Amino acid sequence: MNVQKRGRIPFIIAFLTPACLLYGLFVVYPLLQSFVFAFYRWRGVSQSRKFVGLQNFNALAADDAFLRALKNGLWLLVVGGICITVLALLIAHAMQGAGRMARTLRSLYLFPQVISMVVVAILWTFIYNPSFGLLTGALKGLGLKSWVQPWLGTSHTALPAVGVAFLWYSLGFYIMLFSAGLRAIPAEVTEAAELDGSTGLHRFRRVTWPMLWSIKRVAAIYIVINVLNVFALVYLMTQGGPDRATEMPLTYLYEQAFTNHQFGYATALATVNFVIAMLLAGLVLLIFRRNPEAVPAS
């Protein structure tokens, strides 16, 4: 047995080495390189770089635009995360049946995921158009013409409008997660709850919700990563405007790197965003570190 194991080790190494080399060359090395660039003042188009130490990070701490972008990202993370979780659970639960509505939902819920992000941004920009958009037409048809406004052109409505588009695009993945979690709950557990008289909201709160522990952990981590890395949707719809009302860390990074040509500052921003994402993901893992429903091993 030991001889067989020793014979398998070179075989495993031979298969893993090319993948590890490619991953190190195209992922790990650029990541480490970006951390190094964060300590330089560099315009990105020349070989000359000036070492400035922590100056870029100190400037970020006093940068109102960056702080506004973090605030917007936090708003989208909290509000968007709650809306995604609630809607995904409701729709996933509705999909568990065998009726026509359940079959319709199962055929449509992943539709936004197969559309290009560029198409999604253009689609929602037309929906929000104050002159001929679908939302404008619907409000006028309901006799609410006074509610019509430039949704993406007003500071207090731009971020919620972008959040709705982000929710519509992202929701399908989380519906799939929760649907898989609901299907994984043993039928015996559900039947036992029904025999004990636990139905409706009480059964969901006492039985279903706790048994989705691992799904909740995965969903929370994905929400953190997706929100802090949102770029294309916001940039194509508003470019961070108006008056930075929809500015996100990555849209501000793009501005600093490719408009202001401050690549050192932009990489410092990317580093901070990466650290924040990892800390929040770590916090999620800490919160979900132990399944409260798990039975300890004897």
Side-chain angles (χ1 to χ4, degrees), residues 112 115-130 133-135 151-152 160-170 233 236-237:
I115 305 177
S116 167
M117 181 67 78
V118 176
V119 176
V120 172
I122 295 173
L123 172 65
W124 279 93
T125 300
F126 276 106
I127 290 175
Y128 289 132
N129 190 287
L134 182 62
L135 180 58
W151 303 99
L152 296 177
V162 171
V164 171
F166 175 77
L167 173 65
W168 181 82
Y169 177 76
S170 305
L233 184 68
L236 291 169
M237 291 183 69

